[in-house]
Amino acid sequence: MQIESEARSLPPETRGIGNTIRLTGWITLWSQLAIGVVSVFALLFALTGRRFVQQQNVGLSIGIFWAVCGIVLLLFSLYWDFRYTRIGKALENHNPALHPSKPDTTKILRLGIIVGLVGILLTLLGASSTMFVLMAKSISQTPGVAISDPYRIIRPMDVFVAVADITGIAAHFVGTVASLWLLERVHQH
C-alpha cells in the first residue's frame, strides 16, 4: 500500500526519463558489444595472419595500433553504457533522495559523447592509414605481380585490419548517437 502511494508520488516524467535512459543504456551496450566483438575478431585474424608473414608492413602496424586504441576506448564506452542503466534505475526509484541531479546526468551524458567522438577519431586514424596502405598496394600492382613479388599483393590480413577499424567506427558511432539522443531527452525533461 505504501509502495503504491510512493509510486504515485513519483512524477511520471521522472519515471519516463529514467525508463528511457535505462532502456537506451541496455540497447546501446548490447549493440556496441556485438559490433565490438566483430572488430576484435577481425583484429585477431589480422594479428594471427601477421605471424605467418615474413615481411611486415609498417603502415598496417599503425592501423592495428589505432584499432587497439579504439577497442580499449570501446571497453570504457561499454562500462559507460552500463552506467546509463544504473542512472535510469536510480531515476525510477521511489526515493527522490536517490535520484541523480539533472546537472550530474547531463555531465555523464556529455562525457559519453566525448568518449564516443574520441573513439571515432582514433578508429578513423587507423582506417585512413590502413586504406592508404591498401590503395598504395593496389596502385603498385602490375599484371602477374603475385608470381614475381608476393609481398606487393593485397592479402586478406590487410583487409581484416580495415574491417576492424571500420566496425570500431560503427560501434563508437552507435554510442555517440545514443548519448546525444539521451542528452536531448534530458534537456527536454
Side-chain angles (χ1 to χ4, degrees):
M1 184 78 157
Q2 184 180 6
I3 293 174
E4 288 178 15
S5 65
E6 288 176 356
R8 288 186 195 120
S9 67
L10 185 66
E13 298 86 24
T14 304
R15 207 172 331 132
I17 194 68
N19 189 35
T20 300
I21 292 173
R22 185 178 52 80
L23 286 176
T24 304
W26 282 119
I27 291 169
T28 307
L29 183 132
W30 287 107
S31 300
Q32 281 189 303
L33 184 63
I35 298 169
V37 165
V38 171
S39 184
V40 167
F41 278 131
L43 195 59
L44 287 175
F45 285 140
L47 290 174
T48 56
R50 285 178 60 90
R51 291 189 183 144
F52 299 114
V53 176
Q54 295 170 355
Q55 183 181 8
Q56 299 294 327
N57 193 333
V58 177
L60 286 179
S61 299
I62 294 169
I64 290 171
F65 170 76
W66 290 118
V68 169
C69 290
I71 288 171
V72 168
L73 205 55
L74 184 60
L75 291 173
F76 179 77
S77 185
L78 289 171
Y79 162 73
W80 217 244
D81 294 336
F82 182 73
R83 190 162 179 199
Y84 290 168
T85 66
R86 301 299 92 199
I87 290 170
K89 192 169 185 176
L91 285 171
E92 291 175 331
N93 194 327
H94 301 295
N95 185 357
L98 298 177
H99 293 183
S101 67
K102 187 174 181 177
D104 289 341
T105 305
T106 303
K107 192 184 312 181
I108 289 169
L109 292 172
R110 284 188 180 147
L111 185 59
I113 293 168
I114 291 169
V115 167
L117 290 174
V118 170
I120 289 172
L121 175 67
L122 293 179
T123 51
L124 270 175
L125 289 172
S128 61
S129 66
T130 302
M131 289 302 166
F132 179 74
V133 169
L134 293 176
M135 184 182 67
K137 281 186 170 188
S138 69
I139 290 173
S140 68
Q141 288 181 356
T142 56
V145 74
I147 297 170
S148 63
D149 189 5
Y151 297 111
R152 290 176 51 191
I153 64 171
I154 296 174
R155 298 170 295 211
M157 170 189 74
D158 303 340
V159 177
F160 279 127
V161 175
V163 168
D165 284 319
I166 291 170
T167 54
I169 292 168
H172 286 292
F173 179 76
V174 167
T176 304
V177 167
S179 296
L180 282 168
W181 186 76
L182 284 175
L183 185 64
E184 178 64 27
R185 293 290 162 249
V186 168
H187 279 305
Q188 287 178 357
H189 174 63

